[in-house]
Amino acid sequence: MRLAGAELVERREVLPGTFLTAWHAPPVVTGARAGQYVHVRAVDPGGLPRRIPFPIATADAATGVLTLLTSGTGWAGTVRVGDRADIAGPLGRPFEVDPRSRHLLLVAEGGAIVAVRFLVDEAVRDARSVVLLFGAATASSVYPTSLLPDEVEYVVATADGSLGHRGSVADLVREYEAWADQAFAAGPPSLLATLATQAAGRRQRLGVATLGRKRGGGRPPAAGSTEARRKAFLQVAVGQSIGCAAATCLGCAVEGADGVALRACREGPVFAADELAWPEP
Amino acid sequence: MKPRRKAVPGMRSRRTPTVRRIRPAITPVPPTSRPATRPAGAAAPPASGQAGPRGPEPALDVLGGRPVRLAVDLGRGLVLTNPVIAASGGCGFGVEVAELVDLPRLGAIVTRGVAVKPAGGQPAPRTADVPAGLLIGVGPQHPGLQQVVDRYAGTWARWPVPVIVNLGGASAGDLAEGARMLDDVAGVAAVEVNLSSGGGARVFGLDAASTSSAIAAVRRATDLPVIAKLTAAAGDLRAVAKAAEEAGADAISAINTLPGLAVSADRGGAALGSTYGGICGPALKPVALRVVYEVVQAVDIPVIGIGGVATVDDVLDFLALGAVAVGVGVAALADPMLPVRLADALADACRERGLEDVAALVGTALPARPGPASTRGAEYAR
């Protein structure tokens, strides 16, 4: 983790009430990976110093600029170009892409798209094919294609059918699950639970044989290790509110598969889907 | 196979990394012997525990300016180098923030709440934003007192800051058992008894009799300094504080979070997984000030003020009402160095006023004669 006194270099409204803010913060950008977040020191009007977690939307090492998707309310509504903020990061554990994966399926809903947005850049850089499935309430809140690289296949579902598929983004996943080598998702807990359930039955549906020692044999990697996550089909970024980012306040706990609370700030925010306990969708 | 390079005496291996030596900007003050300022009548520190002061003598003219005495005696040999402590919950078990905080410059660290039996905490979501504060429903989450002691006490013993363990329990017997486990542990400077804990609907801190039984049980089980942490939810705080004092508490900390509730964004239920949460932050400060004001007038033992401290003005407010020390809780989450900076700012505030001892700031806002109690509700209408 590094601290930077960042300067706001650009702020524009990309969706109603949602702003893309670009910050010049070279120390934070260095080494940032998709799935990680930054903790921005905000000033609460009530006098309580707070830090707000933001997933890194993009980070450009050449210019030292990172972008965040912020709301227009509270502290984020008051910042203007030229303002400075104290940004800590990059924090948390990133998405782990298996080096052998050629086809990546990205699934996101609403503002949570920002958590997988950086992974698009990384995948395109590494010459992987990317399909991004995006769900929104209505056409006016669909993430603009102009903010995505051209190489991405972008498929949209809206709840009211005003653009693309009518219904949940989870309905689109079936079409791509055979094509995908790995999937990465971000969104509300209900979507993640649906996807986790689907992913658990995927091998059986597709008739993928389990060839015992194919991947080097030996003991499977420990749950939660980088190795285990790299091998997992579905990785999810949880949207827990992170208070301290130092693993002290335990406010960001997520229930693990074995019932033990995991901390989104330290063990996450990215988890392999089978590490977490999922409610019935 | 490449032969291993042989070590030639007197010759420096090429693989030795260059260690860049950076001279510290501030020359650290060498630790001196324990402060000679203990009042003659004060109790001697127990021979068994590590309750004595372990930090350097507070020579606070490091950055220039006149020295200001910030040390605070909380009784039974627990002397803090300055009156700003990291309150329970703000810094976990201390080890999590050890890299982020300048530990020797903290007055003390209070651990997050522990009890004899392990606890898994409340379901997510565990925090909710409320005006001027935060609603926290983390609940007790720890691996059990014995595990905590085994894991962390060795580290605490090496730190130059007193570590106070916040102890909870379902019954007075639980509290006593926990206190006994902590009694001889090197690295534990004191026990803070969480009077907001308890079994079922019964919370110790709500009435004088339960408070008395809880504190007395802990007092019998340990020689460590015992701090009673009050809850503002009690009906008559003066009686509760008096009961804690009479049962053998060495100090009182006030207050814990107040129970609160927030509604979820879709209005389909409570915002927190635990339904109720504790209100922290500036929203809590007026309540904490009121409690400190009342308790200070009721007891003769030192009082630690906790609740919404985020600036040096908050610290000065609590001191003016008679608290000898203050705890920084939720504000330290965003800024772990905040307690240290508040202590520095407090020294500056003393210098500005030409004071040599922070004790001169304590109790300036107290009335000459004890004021009336506040908590009967109807009294506000008078």
Side-chain angles (χ1 to χ4, degrees):
Chain A
M1 185 193 84
R2 291 172 292 272
L3 275 171
E7 187 185 331
L8 184 63
V9 291
E10 195 190 346
R11 176 174 185 268
R12 60 187 167 124
E13 196 166 10
V14 291
L15 290 172
T18 305
F19 295 81
L20 194 69
T21 50
W23 299 85
H24 185 249
V28 173
V29 170
T30 311
R33 287 179 60 192
Q36 290 185 304
Y37 65 97
V38 292
H39 222 203
V40 183
R41 173 75 182 271
V43 179
D44 184 279
L48 174 66
R50 289 289 308 281
R51 278 184 185 273
I52 307 176
F54 291 103
I56 301 174
T58 61
D60 184 4
T63 58
V65 170
L66 71 112
T67 59
L68 311 171
L69 210 58
T70 61
S71 74
T73 58
W75 164 82
T78 64
V79 286
R80 295 288 175 269
V81 170
D83 285 358
R84 300 190 73 84
D86 162 2
I87 296 186
L91 295 159
R93 293 174 60 182
F95 287 114
E96 300 289 349
V97 181
D98 191 320
R100 286 170 297 187
S101 294
R102 305 315 313 160
H103 301 161
L104 305 190
L105 179 65
L106 274 43
V107 189
E109 188 176 317
I113 188 174
V114 69
V116 296
R117 170 65 190 81
F118 194 15
L119 189 57
V120 174
D121 285 353
E122 285 193 355
V124 169
R125 180 197 66 200
D126 300 340
R128 298 186 166 98
S129 330
V130 183
V131 171
L132 172 56
L133 309 180
F134 179 68
T138 176
S140 66
S141 52
V142 169
Y143 194 72
T145 42
S146 58
L147 295 175
L148 291 167
D150 293 342
E151 292 88 339
V152 182
E153 186 179 334
Y154 186 41
V155 186
V156 173
T158 48
D160 60 0
S162 50
L163 188 69
H165 171 79
R166 184 196 189 103
S168 163
V169 66
D171 308 338
L172 300 171
V173 172
R174 281 287 168 89
E175 257 177 72
Y176 293 91
E177 69 174 2
W179 169 84
D181 296 322
Q182 270 190 299
F184 304 88
S190 56
L191 171 72
L192 298 183
T194 313
L195 294 176
T197 318
Q198 284 188 16
R202 171 178 173 269
R203 289 174 78 86
Q204 209 167 20
R205 272 199 305 283
L206 299 179
V208 179
T210 309
L211 301 172
R213 296 167 61 82
K214 188 182 171 192
R215 285 187 166 170
R219 238 189 281 171
S225 64
T226 305
E227 195 64 9
R229 288 186 185 175
R230 199 172 285 146
K231 289 183 176 179
F233 173 72
L234 177 64
Q235 289 169 38
V236 297
V238 297
Q240 234 71 359
S241 168
I242 291 168
C244 68
T248 60
C249 73
L250 306 182
C252 59
V254 215
E255 196 188 345
D258 50 3
V260 176
L262 298 167
R263 297 161 298 190
C265 69
R266 185 61 62 91
E267 284 94 23
V270 173
F271 295 94
D274 50 15
E275 276 176 64
L276 302 181
W278 297 105
E280 289 302 314
Chain B
M1 193 177 142
K2 222 170 142 188
R4 281 190 64 173
R5 191 177 307 187
K6 273 198 189 136
V8 181
M11 182 118 155
R12 233 176 116 182
S13 162
R14 249 189 258 162
R15 294 188 182 188
T16 312
T18 316
V19 178
R20 209 189 298 167
R21 299 209 180 278
I22 301 166
R23 205 194 311 165
I26 299 168
T27 318
V29 182
T32 52
S33 57
R34 86 178 24 180
T37 46
R38 181 193 307 285
S48 56
Q50 281 275 324
R54 285 173 297 170
E57 164 72 13
L60 284 151
D61 52 345
V62 183
L63 298 173
R66 287 181 307 108
V68 178
R69 210 186 107 71
L70 291 182
V72 173
D73 192 342
L74 290 182
R76 215 170 265 258
L78 179 63
V79 179
L80 314 183
T81 51
N82 73 61
V84 185
I85 66 178
S88 180
C91 59
F93 292 112
V95 293
E96 297 92 335
V97 293
E99 290 174 0
L100 308 173
V101 184
D102 200 355
L103 289 174
R105 290 164 69 197
L106 268 180
I109 285 183
V110 187
T111 69
R112 59 179 300 109
V114 289
V116 175
K117 294 189 191 79
Q122 299 284 359
R126 289 176 164 188
T127 60
D129 286 313
V130 294
L134 194 65
L135 192 66
I136 299 188
V138 171
Q141 181 179 338
H142 56 83
L145 186 58
Q146 192 58 53
Q147 283 280 329
V148 169
V149 167
D150 292 349
R151 270 187 222 172
Y152 306 120
T155 312
W156 294 340
R158 288 194 299 274
W159 282 353
V161 55
V163 176
I164 299 168
V165 175
N166 182 294
L167 183 68
S171 65
D174 272 6
L175 286 174
E177 190 186 344
R180 215 170 290 121
M181 284 158 79
L182 291 170
D183 189 30
D184 248 344
V185 177
V188 177
V191 182
E192 183 179 67
V193 182
N194 178 8
L195 291 171
S196 309
S197 72
R202 182 170 162 271
V203 170
F204 300 118
L206 289 184
D207 63 274
S210 307
T211 300
S212 182
S213 73
I215 297 295
V218 172
R219 178 75 286 160
R220 279 194 297 273
T222 180
D223 286 333
L224 289 171
V226 173
I227 302 168
K229 188 162 188 178
L230 303 187
T231 167
D236 186 359
L237 270 157
R238 295 176 183 228
V240 172
K242 198 84 200 143
E245 182 186 26
E246 278 164 7
D250 299 293
I252 281 175
S253 53
I255 55 176
N256 208 321
T257 60
L258 265 182
L261 186 91
V263 180
S264 66
D266 61 1
R267 308 228 151 66
L272 297 183
S274 57
T275 306
Y276 306 114
I279 304 167
C280 319
L284 193 62
K285 186 184 157 193
V287 182
L289 289 176
R290 185 265 294 177
V291 172
V292 166
Y293 179 80
E294 283 192 86
V295 169
V296 162
Q297 296 179 53
V299 299
D300 295 324
I301 52 180
V303 174
I304 304 166
I306 306 170
V309 176
T311 65
V312 71
D313 288 328
D314 300 332
V315 176
L316 293 171
D317 284 353
F318 275 103
L319 295 184
L321 289 179
V324 298
V326 295
V328 182
V330 70
L333 291 182
D335 187 356
M337 272 295 269
L338 182 67
V340 171
R341 279 193 280 107
L342 289 182
D344 290 349
L346 183 60
D348 287 342
C350 290
R351 283 192 199 101
E352 273 170 26
R353 292 161 173 78
L355 303 173
E356 286 174 0
D357 193 330
V358 70
L361 290 171
V362 174
T364 53
L366 287 174
R369 224 179 307 168
S374 72
T375 48
R376 299 298 182 198
E379 288 176 29
Y380 293 112
R382 265 199 228 143

